[in-house]
Amino acid sequence: MTPTPKIVFLDASSLSDLPAFDRLNEVGDFTSYDLTEPSEVPERAADAQVIITNKLEITAEVIEQLPELKLICVSATGTNNVDHKAAEKRNIPVRNVAGYSTDSVAQLTLTAYFTVAMDLLHLNELVYNGAYSKARDFTMWRHPFHELPGKRFGIIGLGAIGQRVAELAACYGAEVVYHSISGSDHDVPYRRVDLEELLTTSDVVSIHCALSDDTRHLIGYAELERMKSTAYLINMARGGIVVEADLARAIDAREIAGAAVDTFSTEPLPDDHPYLGVKQREHLLLTPHVAWASVEARTRLIDGVIENIKAGW
């Protein structure tokens, strides 16, 4: 009979509010902490056979201090927070969960675009602050807005999330084109274009590629200058794909109409981040890395972690 593993979730704060979270008790002797400092890992996971981490780094030093460790589960898609060489040296599998947040990220992508492009936060405030009540006309707006049908929606990275965004944009009547970082064609009804054409002709540029040596700082000031002055940039992928200081500068210079960003190079956002110094704030919508976090997506994530524990134990 296989012994019940001791499982420690080191940084469970983003999942522990869900009813599904309690199911982790069914697969082992389970303990969770909302947050764990790196110095606390050796004590908290001292005799754990399975550890679960979301963002907390599992370094070679940490792995060396956990003699009972047999499995590392990452409650995310990326596993760059784990030292894979150190895990391989001990024959410890590292399991992630892929595809759980596709619909959630795609949903916020379109929502964020419409919010910034239609100036919705400002219009909402006009009603609440009494400006609309004092208006002489029945309607009011600050910036004209356009319909998405007939506009070109350019997607950088056509993986699962990129394809779902493409489907939603196409449902609105947009012309979807995409740029493949690898240069590969996908079996999709959308045209592949080079980055230059995508940037210069798209009304919306939406980023959905992974962060890698090929994509780090892919979009800097030169690329933003090549976009239409009426175009919007949406980044729901990784902050490092965009040169953040350059985007802040381009927003204030009105090189593009606006942007919506959900991910940042450093998270949480530092007080001195360039985005927070933008003068034209109505043209830059910022959300706190929340695109992945619908209730359904987080529930699928827990289910995936449970399956990884069952398969790896």
Side-chain angles (χ1 to χ4, degrees):
M1 183 175 179
T2 304
T4 299
K6 179 171 182 180
I7 305 165
V8 177
F9 200 150
L10 294 164
D11 51 348
S13 61
S14 62
L15 298 175
S16 57
D17 63 308
L18 296 171
F21 189 76
D22 291 339
R23 293 208 297 270
L24 285 160
N25 288 291
E26 300 171 7
V27 290
D29 177 10
F30 178 65
T31 303
S32 70
Y33 302 91
D34 278 349
L35 296 170
T36 296
E37 295 295 327
S39 61
E40 297 174 316
V41 175
E43 179 182 353
R44 290 184 171 182
D47 54 350
Q49 287 83 43
V50 180
I51 59 172
I52 307 170
T53 177
N54 179 236
K55 300 299 181 187
L56 185 68
E57 285 194 42
I58 306 301
T59 63
E61 182 181 4
V62 167
I63 292 171
E64 287 174 6
Q65 296 179 73
L66 302 178
E68 300 298 319
L69 188 60
K70 298 293 189 294
L71 174 66
I72 299 171
C73 289
V74 182
S75 59
T77 299
T79 61
N80 57 308
N81 57 325
V82 177
D83 189 316
H84 285 260
K85 288 184 179 179
E88 288 172 9
K89 188 176 180 180
R90 289 263 309 275
N91 295 315
I92 299 172
V94 179
R95 311 276 188 186
N96 66 333
V97 183
Y100 67 91
S101 64
T102 298
D103 285 328
S104 186
V105 176
Q107 178 172 290
L108 184 60
T109 299
L110 272 294
T111 301
Y113 162 68
F114 287 125
T115 299
V116 67
M118 298 180 69
D119 204 21
L120 294 182
L121 297 181
H122 173 70
L123 298 180
N124 179 70
E125 182 60 21
L126 287 182
V127 179
Y128 275 108
N129 69 16
Y132 180 54
S133 299
K134 298 180 179 68
R136 296 176 62 186
D137 202 354
F138 74 97
T139 186
M140 61 193 305
W141 59 82
R142 176 170 55 180
H143 303 302
F145 60 87
H146 299 274
E147 296 176 357
L148 190 53
K151 303 297 187 297
R152 175 169 278 198
F153 200 108
I155 297 175
I156 300 175
L158 206 69
I161 293 173
Q163 289 192 37
R164 186 64 177 130
V165 170
E167 292 169 0
L168 295 177
C171 285
Y172 275 98
E175 177 204 0
V176 175
V177 296
Y178 73 95
H179 172 68
S180 170
I181 300 299
S182 66
S184 302
D185 284 316
H186 295 266
D187 185 19
V188 292
Y190 319 117
R191 190 163 68 89
R192 179 167 70 88
V193 298
D194 61 28
L195 185 60
E196 177 71 15
E197 179 179 342
L198 186 143
L199 292 173
T200 57
T201 65
S202 294
D203 300 288
V204 184
V205 174
S206 195
I207 301 172
H208 300 287
C209 56
L211 179 62
S212 67
D213 290 341
D214 292 329
T215 62
R216 188 177 301 278
H217 294 171
L218 180 70
I219 305 297
Y221 202 82
E223 289 72 29
L224 294 163
E225 280 187 307
R226 290 203 283 275
M227 289 174 60
K228 293 182 177 182
S229 62
T230 54
Y232 291 86
L233 179 74
I234 313 297
N235 185 12
M236 299 286 145
R238 287 291 180 263
I241 297 169
V242 176
V243 181
E244 293 167 325
D246 287 356
L247 178 56
R249 176 184 163 207
I251 292 291
D252 280 338
R254 304 298 288 124
E255 294 290 352
I256 60 175
V261 178
D262 185 59
T263 59
F264 312 95
S265 295
T266 301
E267 296 175 342
L269 204 63
D271 291 338
D272 61 350
H273 194 282
Y275 289 160
L276 300 181
V278 165
K279 299 179 180 66
Q280 305 273 346
R281 287 191 173 188
E282 68 269 26
H283 299 289
L284 179 60
L285 177 69
L286 303 175
T287 50
H289 200 152
V290 72
W292 69 279
S294 70
V295 168
E296 292 82 2
R298 290 185 295 139
T299 299
R300 286 191 290 269
L301 179 54
I302 291 171
D303 290 341
V305 170
I306 290 171
E307 289 305 310
N308 282 339
I309 294 172
K310 289 178 177 179
W313 189 254

